[in-house]
C-alpha cells in the first residue's frame, strides 16, 4: 500500500507542479527558457518529454511518466526506499521455500537461482521449482535496481544535489545533511519517510539558492545572460549547461 500511495503522489504532485510552471514569467535578472518562454528560477531545467520547465528538476522518471522535481522528489525517494525494503523482505521471507523447491544446497543452486529456465529442460528443476526460482529471480532484479536507485538518490541528497548536479559535480547547494533532508523531504522529514500522507511542508525556495540568501539566485545572473537565453533559443541540456556555467563563473557577494 505504501508503494502504491507514493507512486500515486509522484504523479499527482507532478501535474500540479507543471500547471504552476506554465505561469512562471521572466523577471529582471532571471533567464528565460528558449523553448517554452517561461522564467527559469535557479536549478530549474526544461524537460523535452514533459515539454515544461521543472523547478529543481532531478530527472524524468520512466516508471511514472513524469519529471521528478521540487514538489514530488520526496515521494520518489520514499517510494524507491519502500520498493527496496519490500523486495528485500520478500526474498528473505521466501528463502526456505526457494531452497526446498531447488532441491537444497548444491553446485547447481547459483545457476538455478540466476537462470532456472536453462536447467528446466534438462530435468534439474521440476515445474514448481521453475516457477519459484523465476519468481525469486525477478525479486532479485527488483532488489538490485531499487538498491541502485536508492544509492544514487541518497548519495546526491547527502550533498544537496539533484541528479543533474551530481553528474556535473556541483555542490553549491550543500547546506549540511539535516538541512538537505529538509529541502527535499520537508520540515517533518523523519515522519515523511514512514508515512506517505504526512504534512511536511518544504522550506521557502530562496533557502536553496547559491549563497543561501533570499533572492541570491536572481542576483547572480545579468541582463546579458537573459537576452542570450531568449535570443539563442537553446534547447535541452545544452542550454542548461551553458546557463549553469555562467552562474558558476560568478561568485555571489559576501557583504
Amino acid at each position: 500500500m505504501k508503494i502504491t500511495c507514493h507512486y500515486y503522489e509522484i504523479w499527482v504532485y507532478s501535474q500540479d507542479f507543471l500547471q504552476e510552471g506554465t505561469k512562471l514569467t521572466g523577471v529582471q535578472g532571471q533567464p528565460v527558457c528558449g523553448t517554452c518562454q517561461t522564467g527559469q528560477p535557479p536549478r530549474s531545467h526544461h524537460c523535452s518529454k514533459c515539454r515544461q520547465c521543472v523547478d529543481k528538476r532531478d530527472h524524468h522518471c520512466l516508471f511514472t511518466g513524469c519529471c521528478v522535481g521540487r514538489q514530488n522528489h520526496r515521494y520518489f525517494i520514499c517510494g524507491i526506499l519502500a520498493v527496496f525494503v519490500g523486495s528485500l523482505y520478500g526474498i528473505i521471507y521466501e528463502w526456505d521455500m526457494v531452497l526446498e523447491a531447488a532441491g537444497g544446497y548444491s553446485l547447481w543452486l547459483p545457476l538455478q537461482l540466476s537462470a532456472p529456465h536453462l536447467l528446466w529442460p534438462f530435468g534439474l528443476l521440476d515445474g514448481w521449482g521453475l516457477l519459484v526460482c523465476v519468481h525469486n529471480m525477478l525479486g532479485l532484479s527488483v532488489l538490485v535496481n531499487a538498491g541502485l536507485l536508492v544509492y544514487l538518490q541518497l548519495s546526491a541528497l547527502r550533498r544537496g544535489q539533484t541528479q543533474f548536479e551530481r553528474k556535473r559535480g556541483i555542490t553549491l547547494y550543500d547546506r549540511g545533511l539535516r538541512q538537505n533532508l529538509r529541502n527535499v523531504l520537508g520540515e517533518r522529514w523523519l515522519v515523511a519517510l514512514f508515512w506517505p500522507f504526512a504534512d511536511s511542508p518544504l522550506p521557502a525556495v530562496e533557502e536553496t539558492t547559491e549563497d543561501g540568501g533570499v533572492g541570491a539566485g536572481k542576483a547572480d545572473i545579468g541582463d546579458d545572460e537573459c537576452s542570450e537565453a531568449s535570443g539563442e533559443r537553446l534547447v535541452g541540456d545544452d542550454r542548461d549547461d551553458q546557463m549553469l556555467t555562467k552562474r558558476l563563473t560568478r561568485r555571489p557577494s559576501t557583504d
Side-chain angles (χ1 to χ4, degrees):
M1 185 185 73
K2 191 172 186 291
I3 297 173
T4 305
C5 291
H6 284 305
Y7 183 92
Y8 173 76
E9 287 171 324
I10 289 172
W11 188 83
V12 167
Y13 281 93
S14 72
Q15 299 305 308
D16 292 341
F17 170 71
L18 291 178
Q19 291 172 10
E20 293 175 5
T22 60
K23 301 175 183 178
L24 291 174
T25 56
V27 297
Q28 185 176 6
Q30 187 179 84
V32 177
C33 176
T35 303
C36 60
Q37 296 298 305
T38 58
Q40 283 193 317
R43 310 182 79 178
S44 63
H45 304 287
H46 187 86
C47 176
S48 59
K49 297 181 178 65
C50 294
R51 299 181 180 179
Q52 295 283 355
C53 280
V54 181
D55 188 13
K56 198 181 176 183
R57 181 177 183 267
D58 188 80
H59 70 285
H60 184 88
C61 179
L62 298 178
F63 296 103
T64 59
C66 63
C67 268
V68 175
R70 173 178 166 81
Q71 297 295 332
N72 60 359
H73 199 177
R74 155 194 167 183
Y75 304 106
F76 179 79
I77 291 179
C78 294
I80 59 176
L81 274 172
V83 171
F84 176 77
V85 173
S87 58
L88 179 62
Y89 173 79
I91 289 174
I92 295 175
Y93 183 80
E94 69 177 12
W95 176 247
D96 290 339
M97 180 180 66
V98 173
L99 192 61
E100 180 181 357
Y105 291 101
S106 67
L107 294 176
W108 294 105
L109 183 60
L111 192 56
Q112 287 173 328
L113 298 179
S114 59
H117 57 287
L118 298 180
L119 299 182
W120 177 65
F122 298 99
L124 297 174
L125 279 175
D126 56 15
W128 171 247
L130 174 65
L131 180 63
V132 171
C133 289
V134 167
H135 183 270
N136 181 76
M137 181 179 64
L138 293 176
L140 283 174
S141 64
V142 172
L143 178 67
V144 171
N145 284 278
L148 177 61
L149 289 175
V150 168
Y151 169 76
L152 292 176
Q153 287 292 324
L154 294 185
S155 62
L157 176 61
R158 183 173 62 89
R159 300 180 179 90
Q161 299 170 313
T162 62
Q163 293 303 308
F164 179 88
E165 294 159 356
R166 181 188 65 81
K167 295 175 182 178
R168 292 156 178 81
I170 301 169
T171 58
L172 289 175
Y173 302 94
D174 189 358
R175 299 290 174 261
L177 180 59
R178 187 179 293 271
Q179 186 59 42
N180 291 341
L181 286 170
R182 289 196 182 102
N183 289 340
V184 175
L185 303 179
E187 296 294 343
R188 302 174 64 198
W189 59 270
L190 188 58
V191 179
L193 279 174
F194 297 98
W195 182 242
F197 301 109
D199 183 18
S200 183
L202 293 171
V205 178
E206 287 81 6
E207 295 182 15
T208 58
T209 52
E210 281 95 339
D211 64 352
V214 176
K218 298 176 182 178
D220 295 336
I221 305 171
D223 294 336
D224 55 340
E225 283 109 329
C226 292
S227 59
E228 182 176 351
S230 58
E232 292 184 0
R233 309 182 69 85
L234 299 174
V235 179
D237 288 342
D238 293 337
R239 173 190 49 73
D240 294 334
D241 289 340
Q242 290 193 21
M243 295 305 301
L244 187 57
T245 301
K246 291 177 180 179
R247 291 177 187 174
L248 298 179
T249 54
R250 296 189 179 183
R251 298 294 182 184
S253 60
T254 58
D255 295 341

